[in-house]
């Protein structure tokens, strides 16, 4: 894994006030449609975060991230953390927040795990297991005849007795 850290993010979160528009909802939809068409500048940052005000007490958070810098799991973590912080602030319980996990800590963990005795044992276990399931092993009563990855469908009739066992 690699990470490149920039010294300063250009605009971590910008603010756009649409509340004075004749129809803030229509203006919001137009703004979002336009934002979705903008291409990322790979020389600056690969995300856009904007807080849009559509009424004196109504805001929309727009977040667009390039797939090169995120995945579903990290996006879920981000939304969970933002939601937790928002709930704290909304309930006037603005306690200190835990610092976000750092990618460099994950890389360090992976390197330590890779070189650990635990990983050596796990690697040996899976290598031994793989060797035990070599040619001649039976799956659904069929003997494996080659090391090919090519598969064929195995049909097994589920009579009442087998169905009862599975339940």
């Amino acid at each position: 894994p690699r990470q490149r850290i920039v010294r300063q993010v250009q605009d971590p979160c910008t603010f756009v006030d649409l509340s004075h528009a004749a129809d803030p909802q229509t203006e919001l939809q137009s703004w979002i449609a336009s934002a979705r068409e903008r291409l990322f500048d790979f020389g600056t940052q690969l995300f856009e975060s904007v807080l849009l005000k559509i009424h004196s007490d109504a805001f929309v958070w727009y977040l667009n991230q390039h797939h090169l810098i995120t995945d579903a799991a990290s996006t879920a973590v981000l939304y969970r953390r933002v939601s937790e912080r928002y709930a704290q602030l909304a309930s006037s319980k603005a306690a200190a927040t835990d610092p976000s996990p750092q990618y460099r800590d994950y890389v360090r963990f992976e390197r330590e795990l890779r070189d650990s005795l635990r990983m050596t044992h796990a690697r040996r276990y899976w290598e031994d297991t793989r060797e035990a399931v070599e040619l001649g092993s039976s799956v659904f009563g069929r003997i494996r005849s080659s090391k090919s990855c090519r598969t064929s469908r195995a049909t097994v009739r589920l009579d009442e007795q087998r169905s009862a066992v599975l339940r």
Side-chain angles (χ1 to χ4, degrees):
R2 298 186 192 278
Q3 178 184 37
R4 187 186 71 145
I5 300 172
V6 295
R7 293 195 187 282
Q8 184 177 1
V9 176
Q10 186 176 346
D11 290 314
C13 187
T14 56
F15 178 76
V16 175
D17 188 351
L18 303 175
S19 63
H20 300 296
D23 184 355
Q25 285 294 334
T26 300
E27 192 68 26
L28 172 66
Q29 295 309 315
S30 175
W31 188 95
I32 290 172
S34 174
R36 291 192 329 223
E37 296 295 322
R38 286 193 291 270
L39 298 176
F40 286 108
D41 177 359
F42 281 70
T44 57
Q45 63 192 35
L46 297 177
F47 73 93
E48 181 180 20
S49 178
V50 181
L51 185 64
L52 299 124
K53 181 178 180 180
I54 56 173
H55 190 270
S56 62
D57 63 350
F59 297 82
V60 172
W61 178 41
Y62 173 86
L63 178 65
N64 186 13
Q65 303 173 95
H66 195 285
H67 68 93
L68 287 174
I69 65 166
T70 193
D71 60 11
S74 57
T75 299
V77 169
L78 173 65
Y79 285 147
R80 188 187 77 243
R81 290 184 63 85
V82 168
S83 179
E84 289 167 356
R85 184 65 175 149
Y86 185 84
Q88 284 178 341
L89 293 170
S91 68
S92 301
K93 297 178 184 174
T97 57
D98 294 331
S100 296
Q102 297 296 307
Y103 185 71
R104 67 178 167 263
D105 296 332
Y106 166 73
V107 170
R108 186 179 312 114
F109 166 78
E110 283 292 322
R111 285 185 179 137
E112 290 169 1
L113 180 64
R114 182 182 55 205
D115 299 332
S116 71
L117 184 60
R118 178 177 163 209
M119 184 57 79
T120 301
H121 289 311
R123 202 174 287 120
R124 188 176 306 127
Y125 168 81
W126 286 110
E127 287 170 358
D128 292 347
T129 300
R130 185 191 69 224
E131 289 174 14
V133 185
E134 286 297 327
L135 295 178
S137 62
S138 171
V139 177
F140 295 116
R142 294 182 179 200
I143 304 296
R144 196 166 159 199
S145 60
S146 73
K147 286 189 175 185
S148 168
C149 292
R150 187 177 182 131
T151 61
S152 61
R153 182 176 301 267
T155 304
V156 177
R157 187 176 171 307
L158 292 178
D159 55 23
E160 286 187 34
Q161 183 181 1
R162 282 188 174 165
S163 295
V165 170
L166 292 173
R167 285 188 196 119

